[in-house]
Amino acid sequence: DAGVIQSPRHEVTEMGQEVTLRCKPISGHDYLFWYRQTMMRGLELLIYFNNNVPIDDSGMPEDRFSAKMPNASFSTLKIQPSEPRDSAVYFCASTGNRDQPQHFGDGTRLSIL
Amino acid sequence: SQQGEEDPQALSIQEGENATMNCSYKTSINNLQWYRQNSGRGLVHLILIRSNEREKHSGRLRVTLDTSKKSSSLLITASRAADTASYFCATGGMVGSYIPTFGRGTSLIVHP
C-alpha cells in the first residue's frame, strides 16, 4: 500500500502566483479530505469529497481557493492568487468510510513570499 | 462545535515515565480517535474507540472514554524518546456531520 501521496512536498512562491497542490488517495478509498495546518489555527478541514463529488466546502477560506477531484485517484487544491497568509502545511487524507480512521499524506509545506 | 480539545498543550517527561493526555468535547459522539504526528509528517491513526466502549488498548497505549464527562484520555506507558510527537484527538459526531473534527493537539517531548 503506497499510502496517500502529495506533491510537491515544499513550495515557495511569490504573492499573486497560482499554486496547485496535488494528492493521490489510497486506492479504493471513497472519501478525500483537504486540511490546512498552522500554529495559530491548528488543523482545519477545508473541503472533502465522496466518490469524487465535493460534499462540504464550508471550510474553504475564500474564493481564491478551489478544489477538484476529476477521478478517484487524483485531486487538486488550487490557490489563485496566493497571499502570504496562505502559508501553511496542507494535508490530504483519505478513508473508506466517513467516520473511520483517515490516512494522511506527508503534506505540502507552502510558503508565500 | 464538537471539536475535541486536548490538555495539556505541552508535556515534557523523561524516558520510562508514563504520559497522559486528555481530550474533552462538547456534544454526543459516535467515536473518538487518537492520532500522532511526528515533526514534518502527516497524522497517523493510533486508536479508535466507539461511544459504547470504555477502554481500549494497543501495545503501550491505553485509551479511555467517559461519555458522561465527554472526555477521553490517552496513556502511553514506559515512554521512549521515539514517542516524541504531537497527539491529536478527533471526535466523530452522531448527528449531522460524521466527519471527525480535530483538536489542536498535545506536544509531547520525551527526554532520553
Side-chain angles (χ1 to χ4, degrees), chain B residues 5 7 9 21 61 74 76 80 90-91:
Chain B
E5 295 284 343
D7 172 64
Q9 289 188 338
M21 287 157 272
L61 306 181
L74 169 66
I76 304 174
R80 305 167 182 169
T91 52

Short mmCIF file of all heavy atoms in Angstrom, two decimals, chain B residues 5 7 9 21 61 74 76 80 90-91:
data_model
loop_
_atom_site.label_atom_id
_atom_site.label_comp_id
_atom_site.label_asym_id
_atom_site.label_seq_id
_atom_site.Cartn_x
_atom_site.Cartn_y
_atom_site.Cartn_z
N GLU B 5 -10.77 19.09 22.44
CA GLU B 5 -9.75 19.98 22.97
C GLU B 5 -8.80 19.17 23.82
O GLU B 5 -9.21 18.56 24.81
CB GLU B 5 -10.39 21.08 23.83
CG GLU B 5 -11.30 22.03 23.08
CD GLU B 5 -10.53 23.04 22.25
OE1 GLU B 5 -9.32 23.21 22.50
OE2 GLU B 5 -11.14 23.65 21.36
N ASP B 7 -5.57 18.42 26.33
CA ASP B 7 -4.95 19.02 27.51
C ASP B 7 -3.94 18.03 28.08
O ASP B 7 -4.26 16.84 28.19
CB ASP B 7 -6.04 19.33 28.55
CG ASP B 7 -5.45 19.79 29.86
OD1 ASP B 7 -4.80 20.85 29.89
OD2 ASP B 7 -5.62 19.05 30.86
N GLN B 9 -1.43 21.35 26.60
CA GLN B 9 -0.94 21.72 25.27
C GLN B 9 0.45 21.17 25.04
O GLN B 9 0.81 20.85 23.90
CB GLN B 9 -0.92 23.25 25.11
CG GLN B 9 -2.29 23.87 25.01
CD GLN B 9 -2.23 25.34 24.66
OE1 GLN B 9 -1.20 25.98 24.89
NE2 GLN B 9 -3.30 25.87 24.13
N MET B 21 -2.51 12.19 28.25
CA MET B 21 -3.09 13.33 27.56
C MET B 21 -4.60 13.20 27.61
O MET B 21 -5.12 12.08 27.54
CB MET B 21 -2.63 13.35 26.10
CG MET B 21 -1.18 13.76 25.95
SD MET B 21 -0.44 13.17 24.42
CE MET B 21 0.15 11.57 24.95
N LEU B 61 -0.22 1.72 24.49
CA LEU B 61 -1.24 2.76 24.50
C LEU B 61 -2.51 2.25 25.19
O LEU B 61 -2.93 1.12 24.95
CB LEU B 61 -1.59 3.19 23.08
CG LEU B 61 -0.46 3.65 22.17
CD1 LEU B 61 -1.01 4.06 20.82
CD2 LEU B 61 0.32 4.77 22.79
N LEU B 74 -5.53 9.49 26.77
CA LEU B 74 -4.57 8.61 26.10
C LEU B 74 -3.38 8.47 27.04
O LEU B 74 -2.77 9.46 27.42
CB LEU B 74 -4.12 9.22 24.77
CG LEU B 74 -2.92 8.53 24.09
CD1 LEU B 74 -3.28 7.12 23.64
CD2 LEU B 74 -2.44 9.35 22.88
N ILE B 76 0.30 6.70 27.50
CA ILE B 76 1.44 6.00 26.90
C ILE B 76 2.32 5.52 28.06
O ILE B 76 2.84 6.34 28.84
CB ILE B 76 2.26 6.92 25.98
CG1 ILE B 76 1.38 7.53 24.90
CG2 ILE B 76 3.41 6.14 25.35
CD1 ILE B 76 2.09 8.56 24.03
N ARG B 80 9.20 6.32 25.42
CA ARG B 80 10.52 6.27 24.78
C ARG B 80 10.76 7.59 24.05
O ARG B 80 9.81 8.29 23.71
CB ARG B 80 10.55 5.12 23.77
CG ARG B 80 10.19 3.77 24.34
CD ARG B 80 9.93 2.76 23.24
NE ARG B 80 9.54 1.46 23.78
CZ ARG B 80 9.05 0.47 23.06
NH1 ARG B 80 8.88 0.63 21.74
NH2 ARG B 80 8.71 -0.67 23.62
N ALA B 90 -9.72 13.26 17.71
CA ALA B 90 -10.69 13.64 16.69
C ALA B 90 -12.01 13.00 17.05
O ALA B 90 -12.08 11.79 17.28
CB ALA B 90 -10.23 13.18 15.30
N THR B 91 -13.05 13.81 17.11
CA THR B 91 -14.36 13.32 17.51
C THR B 91 -15.28 13.23 16.32
O THR B 91 -15.39 14.17 15.52
CB THR B 91 -14.98 14.26 18.57
OG1 THR B 91 -14.95 15.61 18.07
CG2 THR B 91 -14.22 14.19 19.87
#
